[in-house]
């Protein structure tokens, strides 16, 4: 005979079923029972069950009754309820809730099988056939919840739900749901439904479809169809956007292929690939191709609207854009490969703008790099491929095509040796503290090859300077007499190479140590040397017949520069004892520095950085030649002979006060009165005039621990005549320019609070033409309010005959406020007092609707002015369940 083991149970002292209340063929258990035997059946696995009230076993009928917090475990199946019945003959587990004295149901049955959980009013489950019948059930499948009157489960663990509701709202009475007559759920795979309609707030809507498919994969990613979004755009008509297919190749790589189609013609295709390998790298590669179709009639109509500040619609164009980012995990002793690529057609980001900054950005840069530090050595190397493109200046007239100028650095190689002691390099003896052991040496060389599809006009890079006579420079002729861009294609690769520049930059880092002088002064001598090797060296020839100068380019040139100097610094401390109620003392720290710097006159003939060349004649009769100087290299060090002293002094003032937060007698805290107050200038002994340079002043401090106050100014110590010409005569220094900034940030609730990570499953908010609005994907409702303000002032004096001055004032503020726990308003504005207008402003309103989100964005000024209203389901599973209304950019 086989037996079924029953786990020990507890019997409550308040409520025990007496034998008189049971049928005569029932036998009540006693509180001290440990295990009871059950009749033999087909059940092979041990059933463990317990109850806090009582357990009654009907031996003749092979039925066990569990009362009060009943629990059963059978393999992977567990069942909890106020009442459970076990029928060993039919192999059926039945569960139901109980009613308390107030009529409220308690102990609602909860059924678990592996990772699946069901809560229902009544449950009947056959543990042999693994089929079940559940009434008034609520079960979770992935991010969604299924409500149903009757649920049947088969041996494949599939569920058929009748009179069903599917929702992502976790409330017992959901705010919205998809109402269907029947729903079939395949755990960890998908949820299928027949004809359905959407119900919002218990109000049926006509929104629905003939069938529904909701993926519920157990894995983070799975392949499936991406449902497109319907919308309308004035520029492109009605459209379906972001429809396509997502392919989860494996746990590390996922690819989505989506497209847009427009009723006025045109289309867009996107490919996005993300990859990830734990402890190694992660990245994303996206390629977009866009065909924007427009006719001349629409362009002319948009020109008429331009008077109202709207953007001009672009012409028909085809464009492509590539984004690639790759970030490795840094590991000691290993190389690091990284990439940040953003490149494509010049009009792509203007036709498909995602923000005003993206629309106005004239230059995009890309780089692919590999870097490595050789272990147990001071050496490191790297190689980088760079690309940059200029899309032309910011303009709202997209019909004016600006040339796309692209430059490539192929490659940019770097080799470096970190600074180390020369003594350690030459000998293996341990340091003895000698003065020469402080000498250090380091080296860095950078080799790059730059090619560009643009030829620069020589006068833009080569200055011809007359040295006698009053005749202006003669025109320059030769291989580049104008600036022009040429198409970027394979046929022009040779021209790009000839137009490119190749050079090697050598930098030698030489340290001479730091020494104490007269106990209180720090002396730091220095030497610097650098050198550039280049393949672009210019030579000039005067052509009498044309009265012009011809420029030729030779193959190799060498530009070097060097200098030496020393600095002497110290710290001066002063303390004033103050016997106040809270103030104990005020301390002043002054840090003066005097430095000497020397560099040669690179315009001398010994360096050969300039060439004297005839640039014309005085007149046609005497034909006396006029000479000038022209630079032989693009980058020539200038400034003439430098031999002078620089003076710099920095001040800091602090106050020592008794702490308010600590009542002990010796508790103090420091309060900064002036964070920094400084002045600096330079006096060049080698200059023939204007030896003293302008005086620079700076001040920054924090007022009342709230306001950040910064002032910078430049003082001119020289006189000016009536015509605004500077004279080599000293006078009382006057302001040449000055700037002031006063800012504050208020955020009382977040002080000391730990940051909360935003969820990553919120849908992106886009407008009717696929334009992402300036709406955050996550709103922190825990901060009651924030406010940041900034006021800036700039003053400049023009030392001309009119002696005009310029004064600009700007005020900006931004912040947010929680009107309630569910409402949040964010705002920002920027006012230009000079032009008396609001340069930039926006207002964002967010409403937490529990399982929904509502966002309103309003930009009242500028070419991006407009609004966006979006109401969307919060769950990423129903990301396409949203309502969007917008007017922005040219979409109005």
């Amino acid at each position: 005979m086989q037996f079924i083991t029953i786990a020990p149970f507890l019997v409550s002292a308040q409520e025990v079923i007496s034998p008189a209340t049971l049928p005569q063929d029932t036998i009540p258990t006693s509180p001290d029972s440990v295990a009871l035997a059950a009749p033999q059946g087909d059940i092979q696995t041990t059933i463990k069950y317990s109850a806090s009230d009582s357990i009654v076993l009907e031996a003749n009928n092979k039925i066990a009754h569990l009362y009060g917090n009943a629990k059963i475990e059978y393999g992977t199946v567990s069942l909890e309820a106020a009442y459970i019945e076990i029928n060993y003959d039919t192999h059926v587990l039945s569960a139901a809730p109980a009613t308390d004295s107030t009529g409220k149901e308690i102990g609602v049955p909860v059924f678990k099988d592996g990772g699946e959980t069901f809560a229902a009013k009544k449950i009947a489950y056959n543990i042999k056939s693994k089929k079940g019948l559940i009434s008034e059930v609520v079960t979770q499948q992935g991010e969604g919840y299924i409500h149903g009157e009757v649920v049947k489960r088969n041996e494949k663990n599939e569920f058929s739900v009748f009179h069903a509701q599917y929702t992502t709202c976790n409330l017992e009475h959901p705010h919205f749901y998809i109402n269907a007559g029947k729903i079939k759920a395949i755990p960890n795979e998908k949820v299928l439904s027949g004809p359905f309609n959407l119900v919002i707030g218990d109000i049926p809507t006509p929104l629905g479809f003939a069938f529904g498919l909701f993926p519920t994969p157990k894995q983070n990613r799975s392949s499936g169809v991406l449902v497109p979004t319907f919308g309308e755009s004035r520029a492109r008509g009605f459209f379906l956007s972001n429809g396509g297919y997502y392919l989860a190749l494996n746990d590390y790589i996922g690819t989505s292929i989506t497209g847009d189609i427009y009723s006025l013609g045109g289309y867009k295709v996107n490919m996005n690939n993300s990859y990830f390998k734990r402890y190694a790298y992660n990245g994303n590669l996206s390629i977009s191709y866009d065909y924007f179709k427009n006719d001349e009639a629409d362009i002319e109509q948009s020109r008429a609207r331009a008077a109202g500040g709207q953007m001009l619609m672009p012409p028909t164009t085809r464009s492509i854009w590539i984004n690639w980012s790759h970030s490795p995990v840094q590991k000691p002793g290993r190389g690091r490969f990284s990439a940040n690529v953003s490149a494509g057609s010049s009009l792509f980001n203007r036709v498909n703008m995602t923000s005003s900054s993206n629309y106005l950005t004239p230059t995009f840069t890309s780089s692919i790099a590999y870097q490595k530090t050789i272990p147990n050595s001071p050496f490191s190397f790297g190689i980088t491929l760079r690309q940059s493109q200029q899309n032309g200046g910011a303009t709202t007239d997209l019909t004016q095509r600006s040339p796309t100028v692209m430059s490539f650095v192929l490659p940019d190689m770097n080799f470096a040796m970190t600074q180390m002691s020369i003594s350690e390099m030459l000998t293996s003896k341990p340091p003895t503290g000698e003065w020469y052991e402080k000498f250090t040496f380091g080296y860095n060389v950078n080799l790059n090859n730059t090619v560009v599809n643009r030829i620069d006009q020589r006068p833009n890079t080569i200055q011809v300077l007359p040295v006698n006579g009053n005749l202006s420079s003669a025109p320059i002729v030769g291989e580049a007499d104008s600036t022009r861009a040429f198409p970027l294609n394979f046929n022009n690769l040779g021209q790009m190479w000839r137009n490119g520049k190749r050079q090697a930059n050598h930098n030698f880092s030489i340290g001479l140590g730091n020494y104490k002088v007269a106990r209180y002064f720090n002396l730091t001598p220095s030497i610097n040397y650098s050198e550039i090797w280049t393949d672009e060296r210019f030579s000039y020839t005067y052509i009498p017949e044309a009265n012009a100068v011809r420029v030729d380019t030779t193959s190799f040139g060498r530009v070097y520069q060097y200098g030496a100097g020393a600095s002497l610094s110290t710290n001066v401390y002063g303390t004033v004892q103050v016997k106040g109620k809270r103030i104990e003392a005020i301390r002043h720290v002054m840090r003066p520095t005097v430095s000497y710097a020397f560099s040669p006159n690179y315009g001398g003939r010994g360096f050969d950085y300039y060439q004297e060349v005839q640039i014309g004649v005085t007149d046609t009769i005497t034909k006396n030649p006029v000479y000038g100087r022209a630079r032989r290299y693009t980058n020539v060090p200038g400034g003439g002979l430098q031999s002078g002293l620089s003076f710099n002094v920095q001040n800091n003032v602090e106050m020592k006060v008794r702490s308010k937060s600590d009542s002990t007698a010796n508790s103090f805290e420091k309060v900064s009165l002036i964070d920094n107050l400084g002045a600096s200038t330079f006096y060049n002994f080698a200059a023939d005039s204007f030896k003293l340079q302008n005086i620079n002043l700076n001040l920054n401090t924090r007022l009342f621990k709230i306001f950040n106050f910064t002032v910078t100014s430049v003082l001119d110590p020289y006189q000016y005549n009536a015509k605004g010409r500077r004279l080599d005569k000293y006078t009382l220094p006057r302001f040449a320019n000055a700037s002031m900034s006063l800012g504050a940030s208020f955020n009382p609730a977040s002080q000391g609070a730990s940051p909360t990570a935003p969820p990553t499953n919120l849908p992106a908010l886009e407008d009717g033409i696929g334009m992402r609005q300036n709406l955050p994907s996550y709103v922190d409702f825990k901060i009651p309010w924030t406010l940041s303000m900034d006021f800036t002032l700039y003053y400049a004096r023009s030392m001309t005959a009119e002696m005009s001055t310029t004064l600009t004032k700007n005020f900006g503020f931004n912040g947010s406020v929680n009107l309630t726990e569910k409402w949040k308003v964010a705002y920002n504005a920027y006012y230009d007092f000079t032009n008396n207008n609001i340069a930039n402003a926006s207002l964002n309103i967010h409403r937490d609707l529990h399982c929904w989100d509502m966002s309103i964005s309003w930009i009242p000024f500028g070419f991006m002015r407009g609004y966006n209203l979006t109401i969307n389901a919060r769950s990423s599973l129903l990301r396409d369940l949203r309502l969007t209304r917008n007017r922005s950019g040219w979409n109005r």
Side-chain angles (χ1 to χ4, degrees):
M1 177 178 293
Q2 297 182 353
F3 295 89
I4 298 177
T5 304
I6 303 176
F9 56 90
L10 301 176
V11 179
S12 172
Q14 288 84 5
E15 201 171 26
V16 179
I17 300 177
S18 68
T21 63
L22 299 175
Q24 294 186 2
D25 57 350
T26 62
I27 305 174
T29 62
S30 58
D32 57 351
S33 300
V34 177
L36 296 176
Q40 181 181 4
D42 295 330
I43 302 175
Q44 302 298 326
T45 305
T46 299
I47 298 179
K48 298 180 180 179
Y49 53 88
S50 62
S52 62
D53 189 302
S54 60
I55 297 178
V56 177
L57 178 63
E58 298 182 24
N60 294 337
N61 297 327
K62 302 180 182 179
I63 297 176
H65 304 269
L66 286 71
Y67 298 92
N69 294 327
K71 183 177 180 180
I72 291 179
E73 294 182 1
Y74 177 74
T76 61
V77 174
S78 67
L79 179 62
E80 298 179 10
Y83 167 76
I84 298 178
E85 176 187 292
I86 307 175
N87 192 317
Y88 293 99
D89 238 354
T90 60
H91 318 300
V92 174
L93 304 178
S94 302
T99 305
D100 62 9
S101 58
T102 63
K104 181 180 178 181
E105 289 185 344
I106 59 174
V108 176
V110 177
F111 178 85
K112 296 181 180 180
D113 186 0
E116 303 298 324
T117 302
F118 303 89
K121 294 297 180 63
K122 294 181 180 180
I123 294 179
Y125 179 72
N126 191 306
I127 57 179
K128 182 179 179 182
S129 64
K130 296 184 179 181
K131 295 181 180 180
L133 182 64
I134 307 174
S135 302
E136 300 182 51
V137 67
V138 178
T139 179
Q140 183 176 4
Q141 296 290 322
E143 296 182 33
Y145 298 87
I146 299 177
H147 299 245
E149 293 184 5
V150 178
V151 177
K152 292 183 178 180
R153 171 178 170 173
N154 60 24
E155 64 278 2
K156 296 181 180 180
N157 201 26
E158 299 174 349
F159 301 90
S160 297
V161 186
F162 301 91
H163 302 290
Q165 302 171 359
Y166 182 76
T167 181
T168 57
C169 182
N170 59 1
L171 297 180
E172 182 178 357
H173 188 76
H175 291 109
F176 78 101
Y177 56 86
I178 291 173
N179 187 35
K182 181 180 179 181
I183 286 180
K184 184 175 182 179
I186 304 176
N188 300 326
E189 188 173 342
K190 56 191 171 184
V191 174
L192 303 169
S193 76
F196 69 88
N197 72 299
L198 180 65
V199 179
I200 301 177
D202 294 332
I203 300 176
T205 69
L207 303 177
F209 203 66
F211 64 91
L213 172 62
F214 309 96
T216 59
K218 186 176 181 180
Q219 299 82 7
N220 293 332
R221 298 183 297 185
S222 63
S223 301
V225 176
L226 300 176
V227 181
T229 301
F230 175 79
E232 180 186 4
S233 166
R234 184 181 65 83
R236 312 186 80 163
F238 296 98
F239 63 83
L240 291 174
S241 67
N242 295 324
Y245 192 81
Y246 180 81
L247 180 62
L249 300 176
N250 50 44
D251 293 339
Y252 309 103
I253 301 176
T255 302
S256 65
I257 300 176
T258 60
D260 306 346
I261 187 170
Y262 305 93
S263 61
L264 296 182
Y267 57 88
K268 183 180 178 183
V269 179
N270 306 296
M271 189 280 293
N272 187 282
N273 179 275
S274 60
Y275 54 91
F276 168 80
K277 186 175 182 180
R278 184 175 296 180
Y279 310 123
Y281 54 79
N282 66 83
N284 180 273
L285 172 64
S286 64
I287 302 175
S288 299
Y289 177 83
D290 180 82
Y291 172 55
F292 182 86
K293 186 178 181 181
N294 204 358
D295 53 35
E296 293 298 329
D298 291 334
I299 295 177
E300 292 301 324
Q301 291 179 5
S302 68
R303 290 186 187 276
R305 299 189 185 98
Q310 298 187 22
M311 292 182 298
L312 292 177
M313 296 170 60
T316 298
T317 181
R318 298 176 184 269
S319 57
I320 188 172
W321 197 262
I322 300 174
N323 284 306
W324 179 33
S325 63
H326 179 88
S327 300
V329 176
Q330 187 65 43
K331 297 180 180 180
R334 295 192 179 183
R336 186 178 189 272
F337 176 82
S338 61
N340 187 4
V341 176
S342 182
S345 305
S346 59
L347 284 181
F348 183 89
N349 286 295
R350 302 192 175 188
V351 175
N352 302 277
M353 57 181 175
T354 57
S355 65
S356 58
S357 61
N358 181 268
Y359 173 84
L360 296 172
T361 301
T363 304
F364 292 88
T365 60
S366 305
S367 64
I368 302 174
Y370 177 81
Q371 299 173 341
K372 181 177 177 61
T373 299
I374 301 176
N376 304 319
S377 76
F379 301 106
S380 62
F381 65 90
I383 180 170
T384 305
L385 308 180
R386 304 184 191 275
Q387 180 266 351
S388 65
Q389 65 181 74
Q390 301 175 9
N391 297 328
T395 175
T396 57
D397 189 356
L398 300 186
T399 63
Q400 303 297 325
R401 294 178 180 264
S402 300
T404 301
V405 179
M406 290 194 179
S407 63
F408 302 87
V409 182
L410 306 171
D412 183 340
M413 297 184 293
N414 185 79
F415 177 80
M417 184 188 77
T418 58
Q419 270 192 307
M420 59 183 304
S421 172
I422 298 178
S423 176
E424 293 181 4
M425 295 170 58
L426 301 178
T427 179
S428 59
K429 295 181 180 179
T432 60
E434 296 294 336
W435 61 272
Y436 56 81
E437 293 180 349
K438 297 181 180 180
F439 293 175
T440 59
F441 176 80
Y443 173 71
N444 178 279
V445 59
N446 176 267
L447 300 94
N448 59 75
N449 170 45
T450 304
V451 294
V452 62
N453 65 327
R454 181 186 64 192
I455 300 177
D456 293 325
Q457 186 179 359
R458 291 305 183 192
N460 290 342
T461 57
I462 306 300
Q463 299 178 359
V464 177
L465 307 174
V467 293
N468 64 329
N470 297 320
L471 186 66
S472 60
S473 303
I476 295 180
V477 298
E479 55 193 53
D481 53 5
S482 63
T483 298
R484 61 185 178 87
F486 51 85
L488 183 64
N489 52 45
F490 289 103
N491 297 329
N492 292 327
L493 291 181
Q495 186 176 2
M496 288 186 65
W497 176 263
R498 291 189 299 271
N499 189 53
K501 300 176 183 179
R502 285 145 292 276
Q503 66 181 30
N505 303 318
H506 306 266
N507 282 287
F508 299 88
S509 303
I510 303 173
L512 301 180
N514 183 280
Y515 307 93
K516 281 286 185 181
V517 178
R519 295 181 59 186
Y520 302 108
F521 298 91
N522 295 317
L523 177 63
T524 306
S526 62
I527 298 177
N528 61 81
Y529 181 85
S530 63
E531 192 167 310
I532 299 176
W533 297 350
T534 178
D535 69 339
E536 189 177 60
R537 185 176 186 268
F538 306 116
S539 63
Y540 304 86
T541 305
Y542 177 66
I543 305 175
E545 295 81 5
N547 191 29
V549 176
R550 179 178 181 85
V551 184
D552 296 304
T553 304
T554 57
S555 59
F556 179 77
R558 174 173 168 264
V559 179
Y560 63 94
Q561 54 184 321
Y562 58 87
S567 66
L568 187 67
S569 63
T570 187
N571 294 337
V572 180
Y573 299 90
T575 303
V576 177
Q577 301 293 335
V578 180
K579 298 301 181 182
K581 185 176 181 180
R582 288 194 60 214
I583 303 176
E584 287 292 318
I586 297 177
R587 189 180 75 162
H588 173 214
V589 181
M590 182 172 61
R591 300 179 177 87
T593 303
V594 179
S595 302
Y596 172 78
F598 168 83
S599 63
N601 180 15
Y602 297 105
R605 294 188 176 182
F607 291 94
D608 196 26
Y609 293 161
Y610 295 87
Q611 177 187 345
E612 284 193 8
V613 59
Q614 182 180 349
I615 61 174
V617 294
T618 55
D619 53 63
T620 58
I621 299 175
T622 61
K623 296 184 179 181
N624 295 325
V626 177
Y627 292 92
R629 285 196 313 163
R631 293 185 299 174
R632 288 190 177 275
Y633 304 96
T634 302
N635 300 315
V636 174
L641 177 62
Q642 295 282 334
S643 178
L645 290 175
S646 64
F647 304 90
N648 184 292
V649 59
Q650 303 295 328
N651 298 270
N652 171 259
V653 181
E654 295 179 335
M655 183 170 58
K656 185 179 180 181
V657 299
R658 295 185 181 274
S659 177
K660 288 183 177 181
S661 59
D662 195 338
S663 60
T664 58
N666 296 323
S667 178
F668 300 96
E669 61 181 12
K670 292 182 180 180
V671 177
S672 178
L673 300 180
I674 300 177
D675 292 339
N676 186 43
L677 172 62
S680 63
T681 187
F682 180 79
Y683 189 89
N684 187 8
F685 297 101
D688 56 359
S689 62
F690 303 105
K691 297 178 182 293
L692 180 64
Q693 293 186 359
N694 288 343
I695 302 171
N696 301 303
L697 303 177
N698 66 283
L699 166 68
N700 64 283
T701 186
R702 187 174 178 85
L703 304 176
F704 313 109
K705 298 183 178 181
I706 297 176
F707 298 96
N708 295 315
F709 181 69
T710 302
V711 175
T712 61
S713 63
V714 177
L715 303 180
D716 191 343
Y718 293 98
Q719 298 180 14
Y720 287 80
N721 61 15
K723 295 183 178 180
R725 183 178 179 182
R726 198 182 196 194
L727 304 177
D728 192 14
K729 295 180 180 180
Y730 294 116
T731 185
L732 185 67
R734 296 176 296 178
F735 283 103
N737 61 72
S739 65
M740 186 271 290
S741 175
L742 179 65
S745 181
F746 304 92
N747 191 356
S750 66
Q751 295 180 359
S754 59
T756 303
T760 58
N761 60 343
L762 298 182
L765 304 181
E766 298 178 355
D767 73 1
I769 59 172
M771 183 176 70
R772 192 179 299 271
Q773 296 294 314
N774 296 322
L775 299 176
S777 60
Y778 172 72
V779 181
D780 188 358
F781 283 91
K782 296 182 180 180
I783 301 177
W785 63 274
T786 62
L787 175 63
S788 297
M789 299 180 296
D790 183 72
F791 176 77
T792 58
L793 183 147
Y794 178 77
Y795 167 84
R797 172 182 292 180
S798 176
M799 299 302 182
T800 60
E802 294 79 10
M803 297 296 289
S804 61
T805 60
T806 301
L807 180 64
T808 60
K809 295 178 290 183
N810 301 291
F811 176 73
F813 65 91
N814 64 82
S816 62
V817 58
N818 285 10
L819 303 178
T820 67
E821 293 184 354
K822 302 295 184 180
W823 284 94
K824 188 180 184 73
V825 178
Y827 53 87
N828 76 81
Y830 180 82
Y831 188 81
D832 184 356
F833 289 93
T834 303
N835 299 315
N836 292 322
N837 61 15
I838 299 177
N840 184 26
S842 67
L843 179 68
N844 298 323
I845 302 175
H846 308 272
R847 177 65 164 93
D848 181 1
L849 301 174
H850 185 257
C851 50
W852 288 72
D853 281 324
M854 181 184 72
S855 297
I856 302 174
S857 176
W858 179 43
I859 301 177
F861 309 104
F863 73 91
M864 289 292 294
R865 69 181 183 273
Y867 67 89
N868 179 281
L869 169 64
T870 300
I871 303 176
N872 61 279
R874 178 171 293 185
S875 172
S876 61
L877 183 65
L878 300 178
R879 64 183 181 88
D880 295 310
L881 187 59
R882 61 180 175 179
L883 173 66
T884 300
R885 182 66 177 172
N886 67 83
R887 286 291 183 269
S888 58
W890 64 58
N891 186 32
R892 62 174 184 266

